[in-house]
Amino acid sequence: MSQIDWQAVKSRARELDEADSLAQWRDHFYLKPGTVYLDGNSLGLQSREAEASLQRVLSEWREAGIDGWGGGERPWFDLSEQLALSLSRLVGAKPQEVIPTGSTTVNLHHLLATFYRPTADRRVLLVDELNFPSDLYAARSHIELHGGDPERDLRVVRGQGGQLRVADILEALDDKVAVAVFSSVLYQSGQWLPTRQLADRAHQVGAMLGLDLSHAIGAVPHALHEDGVDFAFWCHYKYLNAGPGAVAGLFVHERHFDRSPGLAGWWGSDKERQFDMSPTHLPATGAGRWQIGTPHLLSLAPLEGALAIYEGAGLQALREKSLSLTRFLMALIDRIDEASSGRAGYVIATPRADDQRGGHVAIRHREATRIAKALKARGIIPDFRPPDLLRLAPVPLYTRFIDVAEAAQALADIVTTGAYKGFSEGRDVIA
Ligand SMILES: Cc1ncc(COP(=O)(O)O)c(C=O)c1O
């Protein structure tokens, strides 16, 4: 392998870090000294803000007991509605179109229970094979709940090399489709789909479009309202950094506010009437009606601090830095490839175009399992998906260009020295 001048790479990285106007945000996060954390697309790190908002709710519980629901700095009773304003800005929605609630998969179930109403002529639920498995299980179960046959009613767009061809999706969207569910950013390759184009096509054929934003929220901007997306759902534990299993979120376009929630519960009531305890459901006007039961306050509280960080740093600036970081990383992988005349074996599986990729870079390698372990042993925390995918997320809030340079040098070194061979092939990498 011809030499890469890593000293020159690192001095360029340091220059970029010095010019970085977002650099101060790194100090808001708990980073383990001596490690490079590139797994924020799976679990984002804890910030001081998220810790503080959780601590505040814990203290309120300790000091005020039941009165925490109605009193204190931010009464728990409508904390979800209070957070919706900031959340709506991240996804390009009106505040009343968004609510933090439930979990990702449960929210999809709830939205399908609301929007998937198959008829004799229109019964197809359209998905793609690269979608997160939980979404596919949920889709299948709704077909079965309606007495349908998944073999007939679940239409699956096939991928190629870990990516979807937009033309294939548009072709699959015909007038037999009742609801289509795709990911905004694909969890494996990081491909970012053109939301507006999909929504327009869905509406042309009379179908509805739902989007999974789990790998997209906080990484790329959205305009869910303007684009006319019918519904969306997502988690807050990846780029949003609200903590493991944090309360998730959903969006319903305001033109659907007259719909009854598929899985009604008292927390979806009009807030003014909730304690009337009426046997008849009196739903809230906006997306709040898609809440079901009492919010999981201790998993909701960190979201307040997590959102404050986004308000401070600004999504657009973060997206620009993220693009520079992923561009820098991909250029270094290319150099490793060139320097080794392809023998290093790394293949970038993420689209190169800025408007087609999210916040992580996916890299295929036939030894990905052992490389992931070798990286971890060097304090570089990657993400691994079997059988051969490394996902590296240089999250702009807490990743420096020098971290990316260190990670790339480690990737080069691990294959050239054969260091990965010291690790087992077992898939015991949890990421
Ligand atoms: C794209 C995507 N969708 C859905 C899920 C499922 O989320 P949950 O386990 O929070 O329901 C995940 C989990 O990582 C995901 O990455």
Side-chain angles (χ1 to χ4, degrees), residues 41-42 102-108 130-135 183 185-188 212-216 233-238 245-246 248 385 391:
N41 59 318
S42 203
S103 77
T104 321
T105 308
V106 170
N107 289 349
L108 172 57
L130 303 176
N131 211 332
F132 195 79
S134 200
D135 296 10
S183 284
V185 170
L186 274 61
Y187 82 103
Q188 297 215 24
D212 182 341
L213 307 189
S214 297
H215 275 268
F233 54 98
W234 57 82
C235 70
H236 290 127
Y237 48 73
K238 299 178 191 290
R385 284 289 172 269
R391 297 185 303 181

Side-chain angles (χ1 to χ4, degrees), residues 86-130:
S86 170
L87 194 53
S88 65
R89 286 198 267 264
L90 280 183
V91 294
K94 296 188 175 180
Q96 63 277 24
E97 290 176 317
V98 158
I99 196 80
T101 185
S103 77
T104 321
T105 308
V106 170
N107 289 349
L108 172 57
H109 274 296
H110 196 178
L111 293 162
L112 286 176
T114 306
F115 291 101
Y116 181 61
R117 299 290 164 95
T119 61
D121 295 336
R122 192 187 277 279
R123 42 190 322 117
V124 170
L125 225 166
L126 180 66
V127 293
D128 70 86
E129 66 172 352
L130 303 176

Side-chain angles (χ1 to χ4, degrees), residues 420-431:
Y420 67 89
K421 291 181 188 153
F423 295 85
S424 75
E425 285 175 338
R427 288 181 188 166
D428 48 339
V429 183
I430 308 276

Side-chain angles (χ1 to χ4, degrees), residues 62-83:
R62 188 181 61 223
E63 304 301 326
I66 190 75
D67 289 338
W69 286 107
E73 202 179 312
R74 283 189 172 234
W76 307 337
F77 181 58
D78 62 354
L79 182 60
S80 306
E81 283 76 6
Q82 296 173 50
L83 299 183

